[in-house]
Amino acid sequence: MKATHPSIRVTVGHQPPQAAAPGAFAEASPELQQAFTPPIDIHEGPDGLTLEADLPGATEANLIIQLEDNVLSLHARIEPPAPEGARTLHEEYHVGDYYRSFILSDEVDRERITAELRNGVLRLVLPKADRARARRIEIRS
Amino acid sequence: MGRSNQWRREPFIPFNFLQNELVRVLEDYFQPEGRGGGQSPPTDLEPSGWSPLIDVYETPEDTIVVAEIPGVDPTKIELSISGNLLILRGVKEIGELPEAQLQVRERRFGTFLRQVMVPGDVDFDAAQADAKNGVLTVRMPKRRAAQPRTIPIRPS
């Protein structure tokens, strides 16, 4: 889906952002090969962006959200739900880690980004910096 | 032990639902790559909607059904039993954020109905269900007769 006039921008990538942040994730990349790309939604409101990602199995302890330069990445390490030694009888999904990264535009206020995890859904709120928000200029008489 | 549990006998399963499950089983057979990009889990309620992916495990004591249910209110999930079928109904609701503000939509929503055949002789009355972090785990103990045992041979 294309945004008509996004005043702040999040570039959504399916791959670890090697091109965007050379070297930044290089040391972590071998283990990221197995990671799944979680589906996301992005809403843009007047005050900023809200990003939601389906991350079943993610907990506050095993989810790492990182902001490095302009790259926001999320990485969740998922523990297998079955006890060790359990035999798989039927498999529709593989248990694995989640990884996804986003490029933030300068209009996002990095200091005020908040994250909330609920029922396996991560919600990231990315507020616009004050200078990027539409402002009314009073005309003095 | 009280009889107050979440299990309920399922009187009737829609025919097209069973048909969809059959189609899914056949698709799994011909394309057994698991979690694929264009794969859509089955649902008879909303063809374009979402329904949870399910794994089933077995230990010597239990049969364990695990479903991915991100964004589903666990209190609104209905679990029921029909014969050896475990039936899962619920809804993944679209959030309260206005559609007009949408820039990217990859997540899917909707009501779902899934059923899984629970193999072996399990005690549904002793089953325990637990939903946290968007994962539903249903643990059903096997009946004693179905559990593996070693039979000691008495020395003569």
Side-chain angles (χ1 to χ4, degrees):
Chain A
M1 192 174 295
K2 266 188 190 164
T4 43
H5 287 291
S7 59
I8 69 176
R9 184 177 57 95
V10 170
T11 305
V12 177
H14 286 257
Q15 303 296 323
Q18 270 117 8
F25 291 84
E27 73 281 1
S29 56
E31 58 191 277
L32 293 178
Q33 299 302 317
Q34 295 299 317
F36 294 109
T37 302
I40 60 157
D41 287 350
I42 297 177
H43 285 81
E44 188 194 1
D47 298 324
L49 295 175
T50 304
L51 187 153
E52 290 163 300
D54 281 349
L55 302 170
T59 65
E60 277 157 39
N62 66 22
L63 174 64
I64 297 166
I65 305 166
Q66 218 174 7
L67 182 60
E68 201 166 327
D69 297 327
N70 61 342
V71 179
L72 181 76
S73 62
L74 53 100
H75 184 195
R77 288 189 185 279
I78 304 303
E79 301 289 331
E84 210 167 310
R87 195 163 70 93
T88 304
L89 298 179
H90 173 78
E91 188 173 65
E92 292 171 6
Y93 69 95
H94 299 294
V95 176
D97 294 351
Y98 298 105
Y99 180 83
R100 197 142 180 191
S101 65
F102 313 92
I103 299 171
L104 301 183
S105 74
D106 292 337
E107 284 91 348
V108 174
D109 186 344
R110 281 117 214 274
E111 303 303 315
R112 285 166 45 229
I113 296 175
T114 56
E116 183 197 7
L117 195 56
R118 195 161 159 231
N119 289 339
V121 177
L122 171 71
R123 176 182 280 208
L124 277 172
V125 177
L126 309 165
K128 281 181 196 176
D130 275 340
R131 61 188 158 79
R133 229 179 299 173
R135 213 179 298 182
R136 194 170 145 186
I137 298 165
E138 299 288 332
I139 303 167
R140 272 190 256 188
S141 54
Chain B
M1 196 194 293
R3 297 286 299 169
S4 60
N5 58 34
Q6 72 273 52
W7 307 102
R8 182 175 74 73
R9 297 286 152 181
E10 188 79 15
F12 174 70
I13 302 168
F15 175 72
N16 60 337
F17 167 66
L18 293 174
Q19 205 171 22
N20 283 348
E21 284 287 313
L22 182 63
V23 166
R24 188 184 58 77
V25 167
L26 290 173
E27 280 173 355
D28 280 357
Y29 180 76
F30 290 114
Q31 294 179 307
E33 69 268 25
R35 189 205 293 255
Q39 177 193 8
S40 59
T43 168
D44 70 327
L45 303 171
E46 253 172 68
S48 62
W50 172 87
S51 74
L53 293 171
I54 292 173
D55 285 353
V56 183
Y57 303 94
E58 180 186 57
T59 68
E61 299 81 31
D62 300 309
T63 300
I64 304 162
V65 173
V66 184
E68 289 194 320
I69 50 160
V72 176
D73 181 352
T75 61
K76 289 184 184 158
I77 298 172
E78 188 186 304
L79 281 169
S80 56
I81 303 293
S82 174
N84 251 29
L85 292 179
L86 174 66
I87 298 163
L88 210 71
R89 288 174 198 266
V91 59
K92 182 179 176 187
E93 309 225 33
I94 294 186
E96 76 285 1
L97 292 168
E99 291 283 308
Q101 297 182 353
L102 202 58
Q103 282 196 38
V104 176
R105 165 139 291 161
E106 297 170 0
R107 298 163 68 223
R108 295 194 297 157
F109 305 89
T111 50
F112 60 84
L113 169 58
R114 284 298 317 269
Q115 54 103 26
V116 266
M117 178 68 82
V118 180
D121 188 12
V122 300
D123 182 3
F124 285 112
D125 288 334
Q128 288 186 320
D130 164 60
K132 65 176 183 210
N133 303 320
V135 177
L136 172 71
T137 307
V138 185
R139 190 179 291 266
M140 291 154 285
K142 293 180 186 171
R143 289 188 199 280
R144 283 195 64 83
Q147 286 182 15
R149 273 180 285 187
T150 53
I151 299 163
I153 302 167
R154 260 186 289 182
S156 56

